[in-house]
């Protein structure tokens, strides 16, 4: 059994913060960075929740710190994939390097796979109990989230992914809402959209703040808004590259594509795209100006 989860799906536009909130609240963890997933222990627990009995959790080393230890955990994960019939290649040599982008994409894939299989169902899963038996790092000792107590009900992830911008927020967002309101800033987070659309963050102006801190909060709001807009521009820029490559693949019709053309798309920037248009306009204008002068000289 395998599901095709393409790179252009909305799953691969889910931001880092939303992924960490989901993994922490669902499995009672306290991850601070996506790179902490490089040990594969977290990936093993996600699959253990989906396929009880198919993951040898007793072999998972939660305190792994070195690449050779990470590899052993990935072998446990690969064994689960084989038993469950999941046809996905795990790029172990990249993931164990603890690079952000590689583990971000793996975690995005894991969340999408989890949401597809859990769907609207809810199931009891004691994440902390399943981790017991070995030495646990501080971020895996549990007790961080009330909603992730022993035997907590998890599920309904597919419904969250399909929600619109005005849909209910995930559990982690609900828990954070009172603190955000106290600061006078309301953050409205849309769920990850499918296709080309990605999750957007709308920051509303401060309405009322006690203690004369309105100016400071307004300055913070503007800084946050600039950060969000910059992230969205960067997202659209790279999405445009992926879209151009996708169109090139669709029009190739089984023919071999030129690697240089693909690299040209990957490394081009906005200045390189705009330059030919400016040159063409300048040349055309010059031609129109020169023609009348030449005619006058011939008449004279």
């Amino acid at each position: 059994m395998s599901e095709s989860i393409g790179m252009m799906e909305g799953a691969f536009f889910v931001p880092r913060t939303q992924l960490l909130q989901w993994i922490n609240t669902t499995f009672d963890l306290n991850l601070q960075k996506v790179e902490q997933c490089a040990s594969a222990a977290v990936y093993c627990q996600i699959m253990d929740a989906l396929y009880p009995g198919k993951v040898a959790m007793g072999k998972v080393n939660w305190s792994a710190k070195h690449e050779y230890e990470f590899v052993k955990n990935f072998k446990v994960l690969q064994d689960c994939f084989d038993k469950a019939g999941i046809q996905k290649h795990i790029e172990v040599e990249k993931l164990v390097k603890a690079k952000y982008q590689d583990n971000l994409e793996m975690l995005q894939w894991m969340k999408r796979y989890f949401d597809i299989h859990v769907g609207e169902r809810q199931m009891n899963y004691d994440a902390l109990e399943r981790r017991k038996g070995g030495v646990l790092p501080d971020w895996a000792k549990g007790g961080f989230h009330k909603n992730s107590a022993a035997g907590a009900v998890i599920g309904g992830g597919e419904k969250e992914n399909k929600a619109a911008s005005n849909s209910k927020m995930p559990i982690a967002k609900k828990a954070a809402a009172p603190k955000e309101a106290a600061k006078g800033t309301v953050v409205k987070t849309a769920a990850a959209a499918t296709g080309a659309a990605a999750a957007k963050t709308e920051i509303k102006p401060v309405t009322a703040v006690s203690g004369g801190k309105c100016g400071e909060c307004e300055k913070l709001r503007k800084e946050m808004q600039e950060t969000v807009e910059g992230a969205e521009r960067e997202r659209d820029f790279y999405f445009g590259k992926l879209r151009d490559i996708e169109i090139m693949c669709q029009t190739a019709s089984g023919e071999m594509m030129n690697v240089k053309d693909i690299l040209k798309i990957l490394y081009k920037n906005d200045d390189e795209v705009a330059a030919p248009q400016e040159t063409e306009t300048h040349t055309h204008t010059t031609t129109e100006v020169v023609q009348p002068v030449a005619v006058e000289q011939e008449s004279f």
Side-chain angles (χ1 to χ4, degrees), residues 47-100:
M47 301 311 295
D48 182 62
L50 293 174
Y51 300 103
K54 292 187 178 181
V55 180
M57 291 296 289
K59 295 182 179 180
V60 177
N61 183 1
W62 286 89
S63 299
K65 296 181 180 180
H66 305 286
E67 290 185 15
Y68 71 90
E69 295 175 309
F70 297 169
V71 171
K72 293 180 180 179
N73 287 343
F74 273 107
K75 288 181 179 179
V76 175
L77 180 64
Q78 184 63 64
D79 185 57
C80 172
F81 275 29
D82 295 339
K83 292 178 180 178
I86 302 174
Q87 300 176 6
K88 173 176 174 56
H89 174 65
I90 303 176
E91 296 182 316
V92 179
E93 61 280 358
K94 290 184 178 180
L95 293 170
V96 296
K97 299 296 183 182
K99 294 297 180 64
Y100 169 76

Side-chain angles (χ1 to χ4, degrees), residues 199-265:
K200 288 188 176 181
T201 304
E202 178 185 353
I203 304 175
K204 295 183 178 180
V206 178
T207 54
V209 179
S210 59
K213 296 183 178 180
C214 184
E216 182 180 351
C217 292
E218 182 64 19
K219 180 181 178 181
L220 178 61
R221 184 194 70 81
K222 291 181 179 179
E223 292 177 355
M224 294 175 65
Q225 188 66 44
E226 291 176 358
T227 302
V228 171
E229 291 175 354
E232 289 178 354
R233 285 194 299 269
E234 185 175 359
R235 176 203 66 197
D236 294 339
F237 177 73
Y238 287 108
F239 175 78
K241 292 179 179 290
L242 291 175
R243 180 56 182 160
D244 291 342
I245 294 175
E246 183 181 35
I247 294 173
M248 180 183 295
C249 293
Q250 292 173 349
T251 56
S253 301
E255 299 178 359
M256 293 293 293
M257 292 186 297
N258 192 337
V259 177
K260 292 184 178 179
D261 293 338
I262 297 177
L263 292 176
K264 184 177 179 181
I265 293 176

Side-chain angles (χ1 to χ4, degrees), residues 151-211:
V153 177
I154 62 176
E158 182 69 11
K159 186 174 182 180
E160 283 184 9
N161 278 349
K162 294 181 179 180
S165 60
N166 59 351
S167 64
K168 64 180 183 179
M169 301 191 320
I171 294 175
K173 291 294 182 182
K174 289 183 178 179
K179 295 181 180 179
E180 292 171 356
K183 294 178 181 179
T185 305
V186 180
V187 180
K188 181 179 179 183
T189 304
T194 56
K200 288 188 176 181
T201 304
E202 178 185 353
I203 304 175
K204 295 183 178 180
V206 178
T207 54
V209 179
S210 59

